[in-house]
Amino acid sequence: MEENADVSETYSRFIEIVKKMGNLGYAYSVLSWDQEVMMPDGGIQARASQKAVLASTIHEILISDELGELIEKLEESVESLDEYSHANLREAKREHSRAKNVPPELVGEIASTSSEAIEIWKKARRDSDFDKFAPYLEKLVELKKEYAQSVDPTKDAYAVLLEDYEPDIEIEDVVQLFDELRKELVPLISKVKGSEERPNMQLLNHYYSERKQKKFGEIVLKAMGYDFDHGRLDVSAHPFTSGNVYDTRITTRYSKNDIKSALSGTIHEGGHALYNLGLPKEHYATPVGEPRSLGIHESQSRIWENHVGRSIAFWEHFLPILKGIFPNQLSAYNLEEFYRAMNNVEPGLIRVEADELTYNLHIILRFEIERALFNNEIRVEELPGIWNDKMKDFLGIVPPDDSMGVLQDIHWAMGIFGYFPTYTLGTVTSAQLYNAAKKAIPDLEDKFRKGELIPFKEWLNENIHRFGCLFKTDELIERATGEKLNPKHYIDYLNEKYTEIYGL
Ligand code: MG
């Protein structure tokens, strides 16, 4: 009896501390959202110092002896905890011990080197001058090797880095999965390239006002069940989603001529937002109340963007509405033609502009390069050449310069390695989840044809969102779909879809 009272007191104190971190983290997110969406440029000085104070305060709490001791104490009586408390403990322990092992000076050095590197990278990309950026990248790679070594000296550096974003997936499994994908995708893309069939892309030759694009975006978001009492849609340079179970906001960007870009982006971020808003409220600001991983998060955005927003069933309902908003621009399109235009495949140089089919090769390329870098198989100075060779290999095109190639993404300048794979892991997961949802709701696509998207949202709420971090990633996927992560669902989906569209 007494022991239980003691455990519950210890657990309450533990929850108090993790909630403090959680709330500070959400405050940080609101400041970042404001910085991207609202803040006047002149505010940067103050904002940077506010964010630095919050970040270091969170870090201090995370590595505090008190938190460590509470975790240790609770572990002794772990059997008396319920499953959510158990998961809270597991997640907090991982974060605490990883952070605790890293010397504070190293954390500081990575932060200062990367802020310098970002500024250099911007110039290097503008001038397409890799040599300017190379010394900073080299230093960041060395620092991140040191970081990985201090987190877990028993593992390969890159495996440790990957765990920062995708804690439960083994690197060997990622390697195998990506190899399999690459083997399937490269020939499929080259068949598509060789096809005579070309979607009619004249929709790109029209003007679409931002106000009207936003209006349509809001119609779709509402149909998806995105609650504007708990969210907002704004504009930012790079679209993102930010927030918690009570308040999750999304941003998009509008292109005057390319209506596809904001459309896909808005649906994508809407999928991320539904995940946050579907997390367990009763565990707000605790580890178990958080999204499972970046890969699972991305599965929620991709499933809406691709499996819903690029499906013919969805457009059967929504094209007439879109044509009502843009009658002149879209008058020439029937459903079938519009569907094909939404799914146009065009191997390109830039990852963020890639279509559904070629996108993953951009990721696999980065994954292979990152892994080789951290395994000491290649050197930073060789990167531009290796990048271009792989582009030729994978997509049959070679960047004219490094700004369109190895310098295009900001991640490495930020010291972020091991993040890219989560984009493809999420995409692969989304196909498997979609098949499971179709099995559970046999008339799912008939519902889409009538604009009824809520049953699909509810399936995701029920099978993914509400669990937060209760399960590890593989268990979450297995519970929702009946099997472990299996790329077959994604490969079959792509083969079927693009064979039909391109008459292969
Ligand atoms: Mg995303």
Side-chain angles (χ1 to χ4, degrees), residues 83-120:
E83 54 174 353
Y84 277 89
S85 313
H86 200 275
N88 257 333
L89 192 60
R90 179 191 67 218
E91 299 300 317
K93 186 187 175 187
R94 192 190 65 244
E95 301 258 330
H96 169 78
S97 51
R98 284 176 79 87
K100 181 127 189 132
N101 287 337
V102 184
E105 313 79 61
L106 182 58
V107 176
E109 210 184 344
I110 291 172
S112 62
T113 308
S114 66
S115 34
E116 219 181 326
I118 289 168
E119 293 313 306
I120 300 293

Side-chain angles (χ1 to χ4, degrees), residues 102 171 344 349 492-493:
V102 184
I171 190 156
N344 180 41
L349 298 169
D492 288 351
Y493 157 75

Side-chain angles (χ1 to χ4, degrees), residues 452-482:
E452 293 169 12
L453 308 180
I454 301 294
F456 181 59
K457 171 197 173 266
E458 285 172 346
W459 188 88
L460 294 170
N461 284 151
E462 190 63 22
N463 288 280
I464 300 290
H465 305 169
R466 72 184 170 106
F467 294 123
C469 277
L470 180 60
F471 306 118
K472 291 185 165 192
T473 307
D474 50 356
E475 195 184 346
L476 181 65
I477 295 174
E478 202 168 341
R479 278 172 169 266
T481 67

Side-chain angles (χ1 to χ4, degrees), residues 344-395:
N344 180 41
V345 174
E346 191 75 64
L349 298 169
I350 305 296
R351 175 184 65 87
V352 295
E353 292 165 8
D355 56 75
E356 181 183 20
L357 191 53
T358 57
Y359 184 85
N360 296 292
L361 291 178
H362 290 270
I363 297 303
I364 295 171
L365 174 148
R366 285 155 180 76
F367 172 72
E368 291 184 356
I369 288 179
E370 288 184 338
R371 207 166 141 252
L373 256 183
F374 281 89
N375 285 345
N376 303 313
E377 288 158 14
I378 58 176
R379 291 183 321 251
V380 164
E381 64 196 62
E382 299 172 293
L383 287 185
I386 291 170
W387 184 284
N388 293 352
D389 290 348
K390 282 190 187 288
M391 280 300 289
K392 177 132 211 303
D393 225 30
F394 290 5
L395 290 167

Side-chain angles (χ1 to χ4, degrees), residues 268-269 272 298 301 423:
H268 178 102
E269 301 305 330
H272 278 305
E298 193 68 6
S301 55
Y423 293 126

